[in-house]
Amino acid sequence: MTTSTRTPAGELSATAARHLLLNMTPNGSLGPAGENLFVVRRGEGPYVDDADGRRYIDGLSGLYCCQLGYSYAPEFAEAADKQLRELCFSPLWSASAHPTAIELAERLSRIAPLDIEHTFFSGGGAEAVETAWKIARRYHALRGESGRVKAIARRGAYHGLTIGALSLTDDPGLREPYGPGAIETRFVSNTNRFDLGPEAAENADDDVYTTRLLAELEAAILAEGPQTIAMLIAEPVQNRGGCITPPAGYWAGLRALADRYGFLLVADEVITAFGRLGEWFGGERYGARPDMVTIAKGITAGYAPMGATMVSNAITEVINQPGAVLNHGYTFAGHPLSAAIALRSLEIMERDRILDNVRGLQDHLAGRMASLTDLPIVGDVRGAGFFYACELVGDLDGGGFSDTARADLIADLIPRRLREAGLLARVYNRAAPLVQIAPPLISDRHLLDRIAEIIAGTLDEASARL
């Protein structure tokens, strides 16, 4: 008789390999016993433990969700218990609502950007983006402009994986397996100056760069036909491509073009809202005045699923006119449990001054991250608040990586060393290799220093291997 030496993580991994399909994962590469699967079992403060009890700094806040870390469970459990004992479910459907969703919509209106006072709830970020598109189409149709059937998005951006939201992403690896997009979309440049290469120097001045970007956008609008554009969607800081910040004046320019040509401006704040950039909504840092805002992730601090599309008064005056119907909805939109969790999260963030923590430490984190540019493998560091990325450069002319270096460093050494040192971060192995962090907003100076030290040590070793 033999005794199994399989660890708790091994048992769970083997079960997962037999029964679980993971998101955005080559499931066939997990191994027959799931030996390549990482299993997270519990969380405490800004840390998570794997199924074998090893502890890690959660440098990505789950997936940009867990703004408050993992130690507020008793408070959230109390809110959930109270709500479930009172009402477990009621839909926001056919002239029916429930008090918790009503209270949350009112609470969001008090922190929302200027003139945005209405909220349409959904289950997550992609659904929020789909909702923004359908509201935009309905708005224009009710105003007699049903020919506005196109969207504008930025290259490299990501807005979700449902078929509609996926249409707003230009990544062929994500789009091509599913055929033509549901929305005709024109893509324009994002705001990553590092990608400009030799042209970066001439665009170092914000006024020059903003003028160039807006001129390109206006040319695209005119080429498509202004009367065909329904909306433009952009993140205040673009996640995909590595925490890409905008130059001064960019969002004011987007607003001016939207007003001039009659399309709607959508700020995708699924990642950047609820303190990630030190404000309730990240666009506030950059003077954004959108017509709609899409949110998810941090609205519940990861304690329950929820998304929402926040809508301006100018839009609701049209779509709420007598006789108009918004034929759109989700069964679990504004679920009482998720709404109660979101309300408690907002209460905790305000009570414990979470935004003040980010504002007080963001310059320190910026300095620690900027120092990484001294390493040969780091080409650029960018970001804001508690949201940063290092773009890596390799062993080829122009900064690219050979296949050997990419396999050795980006796919293996860097993610392995970060995890061995106790840090969960995101390592992109795509066109632009990146290391990205988005730590919980409760993180203190010591923890931020530790994150920077682990990244520095890992990238120093990678530099030596180039």
Side-chain angles (χ1 to χ4, degrees):
M1 177 178 177
T2 60
T3 301
S4 173
T5 59
R6 181 174 284 173
T7 66
E11 295 288 351
L12 287 166
S13 297
T15 302
R18 291 193 298 270
H19 302 292
L20 182 63
L21 289 175
L22 301 174
N23 297 229
M24 295 290 285
T25 300
N27 284 277
S29 68
L30 294 178
E35 57 269 21
N36 297 319
L37 180 66
F38 179 66
V39 179
V40 176
R41 189 152 204 162
R42 69 182 302 272
E44 182 181 8
Y47 303 97
V48 293
D49 296 350
D50 69 16
D52 288 328
R54 290 184 292 268
R55 175 154 288 194
Y56 306 84
I57 299 168
D58 183 5
L60 207 63
S61 297
L63 194 61
Y64 320 104
C65 300
C66 299
Q67 316 291 67
L68 299 173
Y70 301 91
S71 291
Y72 285 91
E75 291 196 60
F76 284 107
E78 178 189 42
D81 180 73
K82 180 177 181 295
Q83 179 60 59
L84 292 176
R85 290 178 185 277
E86 182 174 283
L87 178 69
C88 69
F89 177 70
S90 184
L92 304 181
W93 201 280
S94 297
S96 174
H98 60 84
T100 318
I102 294 170
E103 183 182 353
L104 178 57
E106 189 278 332
R107 179 71 182 85
L108 288 170
S109 74
R110 286 190 271 131
I111 60 173
L114 184 68
D115 296 329
I116 290 182
E117 295 185 8
H118 292 76
T119 297
F120 189 105
F121 289 110
S122 57
E127 289 182 1
V129 170
E130 295 265 354
T131 298
W133 171 250
K134 294 178 85 171
I135 288 176
R137 290 281 290 120
R138 189 69 179 131
Y139 167 82
H140 291 301
L142 287 168
R143 296 177 74 246
E145 295 186 278
S146 57
R148 289 186 180 270
V149 296
K150 299 177 184 177
I152 296 176
R154 301 191 297 183
R155 295 189 185 99
Y158 169 86
H159 299 287
L161 289 174
T162 56
I163 289 296
L166 192 57
S167 303
L168 307 171
T169 295
D170 65 342
D171 186 332
L174 295 178
R175 290 183 53 159
E176 288 179 0
Y178 305 103
I183 303 167
E184 187 175 349
T185 304
R186 175 71 176 260
F187 294 96
V188 297
S189 294
N190 60 46
T191 59
N192 186 357
R193 271 182 268 222
F194 188 71
D195 273 358
L196 299 176
E199 298 179 24
E202 64 190 68
N203 289 281
D205 180 85
D206 274 7
D207 290 341
V208 171
Y209 191 40
T210 296
T211 299
R212 167 188 164 165
L213 291 166
L214 296 177
E216 178 200 341
L217 172 57
E218 186 167 25
I221 294 166
L222 295 172
E224 294 296 327
Q227 73 283 357
T228 70
I229 308 300
M231 74 178 204
L232 181 151
I233 187 168
E235 299 157 277
V237 173
Q238 184 171 308
N239 171 52
R240 209 154 183 263
C243 303
I244 303 169
T245 58
Y250 177 75
W251 275 89
L254 295 183
R255 179 71 268 163
L257 289 172
D259 291 340
R260 184 181 309 159
Y261 293 112
F263 59 84
L264 299 178
L265 179 59
V266 181
D268 184 347
E269 296 244 26
V270 167
I271 289 175
T272 54
F274 304 106
R276 178 58 52 198
L277 304 186
E279 307 293 339
W280 284 116
F281 294 88
E284 294 174 7
R285 273 186 86 121
Y286 304 107
R289 288 197 304 110
D291 299 295
M292 289 187 277
V293 179
T294 57
I295 55 176
K297 295 187 184 289
I299 187 174
T300 60
Y303 280 85
M306 175 169 266
T309 306
M310 303 179 68
V311 184
S312 71
N313 294 330
I315 293 175
T316 55
E317 286 172 3
V318 173
I319 65 173
N320 288 352
Q321 63 185 263
V325 178
L326 184 59
N327 289 314
H328 175 61
Y330 305 104
T331 299
F332 292 110
H335 191 283
L337 175 62
S338 295
I341 293 295
L343 282 166
R344 182 58 57 92
S345 179
L346 295 175
E347 175 190 323
I348 291 169
M349 290 187 72
E350 197 165 63
R351 182 196 71 203
D352 291 358
R353 304 175 67 88
I354 301 299
L355 299 187
D356 287 346
N357 187 59
V358 178
R359 292 166 183 162
L361 291 173
Q362 61 185 352
D363 289 345
H364 178 72
L365 179 60
R368 291 303 307 260
M369 295 301 292
S371 69
L372 297 172
T373 56
D374 294 337
L375 298 170
I377 199 172
V378 178
D380 191 33
V381 171
R382 50 186 179 261
F386 277 18
F387 189 40
Y388 273 88
C390 306
E391 183 163 337
L392 308 181
V393 292
D395 56 342
L396 300 178
D397 290 341
F401 284 82
S402 65
D403 290 345
T404 299
R406 186 179 286 272
D408 179 38
L409 301 179
I410 310 303
D412 177 40
L413 185 139
I414 293 173
R416 178 164 48 85
R417 287 286 192 258
L418 290 173
R419 190 172 290 180
E420 287 171 354
L423 174 64
L424 302 183
R426 197 164 198 181
V427 181
Y428 286 87
N429 189 17
R430 299 188 179 103
L434 304 161
V435 175
Q436 186 187 59
I437 58 165
L441 308 187
I442 61 167
S443 301
D444 60 17
R445 182 182 295 255
H446 172 75
L447 189 76
L448 298 177
D449 285 342
R450 183 60 187 145
I451 291 171
E453 289 164 3
I454 291 172
I455 295 173
T458 299
L459 296 183
D460 185 44
E461 181 181 355
S463 294
R465 293 273 288 269
L466 275 176

